[in-house]
Amino acid sequence: MDRVIYLDNAATTKCAPEVVDAMLPYFTESYGNPSSIYKLGQKSKAAVDTAREIIAKSLGAQNNEIYFTAGGSESDNWALKATAEAYSAKGKHIITSAIEHHAILHTCEYLQKQGFEVTYVGVDENGVLKLDELKAAIRPDTILISVMFANNEIGTIQPIKEIGEIARANGIFFHTDAVQAYGQVPIDVDELNIDMLSASGHKLNGPKGVGFLYIRKGVKIRSFVHGGQQERARRAGTENVTGIVGIGAAARLAHETMQARTAREIELRDYLIGRILDEIPNTKLNGHRTDRLPNNANFSFEFIEGESLLIMLDMKGICGSSGSACTSGSLDPSHVLLAIGLVHEIAHGSLRLTLSAETTKEDIDYTVDSVKEIVAKLRGMSPLYEDYKAGKVKAKIQ
Ligand SMILES: *Cc1c(COP(=O)(O)O)cnc(C)c1O
């Protein structure tokens, strides 16, 4: 099948042609080291500075508060480990949410082994952080609150302003993993009381392997890589000039096109959600109905396995993602779907579809028609569905 309908933009995105064009000269003619004194080096330095400025401006931050990294995972690791280390004399307690990306959760597990205590605050059935639980979790020795801006699986956008206010009122630093949200929703770090923010190039129509961490001036976070003076000596190593130029170009493009692009995506997303829920029985939407990423839709279909659905969609040229972690060698359903209260068998029958600026209504129609056909086929092979049809068992999703 030649036709590919890519609906997995939460996993990664295509590098925009403008981004590739911006990067190309820095592989070949402008290959100087930004630390070199001669013009060829200074040209690379200027390109890095420009990218830093674009990103700082997009967040309402200062240029010297943006630190380039090798991606979202590195930014998350850095924010947590280095804050924990720098402020361990004040306390050893960290608060996060139950639905974070593994870059946060596994870093927290590591820190717990190092003697830190971590509280995982729960979410409601829409995936929204329970603010009263957050407030109750705060202790005199709490040094950091880390809550993602928007969830990568179910798309729910968190009440970041409120979380920032709670953190600020209690003198606790606030980090947010904004890998999914940056470039999709407007973010102002001052307005939202954000002290640290992670983002990644490849979730933003930029290149893979580059990201940044915003660190508010005054946060005494430790260096992540020791060596040269790059990134104010906090993240040493010759800059990934091409990658940095790429994430800068991607950030510029994302912010210039944000309004029109996301308005269009929301319309298509809601059309997709409407058709799926109307036309396929025993199906539910996961995540908040409106406070969700413009391009995210996540469904649970009762009586089917998400993995089978994905494989059959792939045969039709459709790329999606499921809510279980089978692909990563585990049979456990996603921690996010369990945290919003789904039982195992419902969580296993989940499908995430994430749109891009290139997605068309024809793509959505073809996808819905395919999902309908495949779900019917899979249910036709399910003994449980047969029992349900015969009135022997009740459906969990009406
Ligand atoms: C993709 C993702 C990451 C990891 O980013 P990488 O650049 O792939 O390391 C972290 N957090 C969230 C929410 C993500 O979606």
Side-chain angles (χ1 to χ4, degrees), residues 59-195:
L59 293 168
Q62 302 298 315
N63 295 354
N64 60 14
E65 293 174 316
I66 305 299
Y67 296 83
F68 289 111
T69 66
S73 300
E74 183 183 310
S75 298
D76 285 344
N77 270 260
W78 187 9
L80 265 55
K81 288 178 189 164
T83 311
E85 198 191 334
Y87 290 93
S88 61
K90 185 196 164 205
K92 292 194 145 196
H93 180 236
I94 294 167
I95 301 173
T96 188
S97 86
I99 61 164
E100 297 295 310
H101 188 273
H102 284 127
I104 294 287
L105 291 179
H106 289 165
T107 303
C108 284
E109 281 169 28
Y110 165 81
L111 287 170
Q112 283 174 293
K113 288 197 192 105
Q114 305 298 309
F116 288 85
E117 279 182 76
V118 181
T119 303
Y120 300 89
V121 174
V123 295
D124 67 15
E125 69 277 12
N126 293 319
V128 180
L129 193 82
K130 290 180 175 160
L131 291 178
D132 49 344
E133 221 177 88
L134 169 68
K135 285 183 202 154
I138 292 172
R139 315 190 316 206
D141 62 340
T142 307
I143 52 173
L144 179 69
I145 294 173
S146 180
V147 176
M148 67 200 323
F149 206 112
N151 184 266
N152 46 301
E153 292 185 39
I154 57 173
T156 300
I157 298 173
Q158 297 300 334
I160 292 296
K161 194 173 161 70
E162 284 84 344
I163 298 167
E165 276 164 8
I166 292 166
R168 188 62 57 91
N170 288 279
I172 301 165
F173 290 125
F174 175 37
H175 166 259
T176 185
D177 173 343
V179 172
Q180 291 290 333
Y182 181 74
Q184 288 225 64
V185 293
I187 303 175
D188 183 302
V189 289
D190 287 340
E191 205 181 294
L192 301 175
N193 287 324
I194 295 167
D195 296 307

Side-chain angles (χ1 to χ4, degrees), residues 273 277 283-289 292 296-300:
I273 292 172
L277 296 184
T283 296
K284 78 184 279 290
L285 176 74
N286 296 314
H288 198 280
R289 182 64 193 83
R292 72 186 302 132
N296 173 294
N298 186 310
F299 306 97
S300 286

Side-chain angles (χ1 to χ4, degrees), residues 22 26 30-55 63 68 231 239-242 244-246 248-249 252:
Y26 295 92
S30 302
Y31 53 83
N33 187 317
S35 299
S36 301
I37 207 95
Y38 41 77
K39 285 193 210 68
L40 190 66
Q42 291 306 300
K43 198 167 170 213
S44 296
K45 183 175 185 302
V48 169
D49 288 345
T50 301
R52 202 185 306 280
E53 200 177 317
I54 294 167
I55 289 165
N63 295 354
F68 289 111
E231 302 300 303
E239 294 86 342
N240 172 9
V241 178
T242 47
I244 291 169
V245 167
R252 170 179 280 161

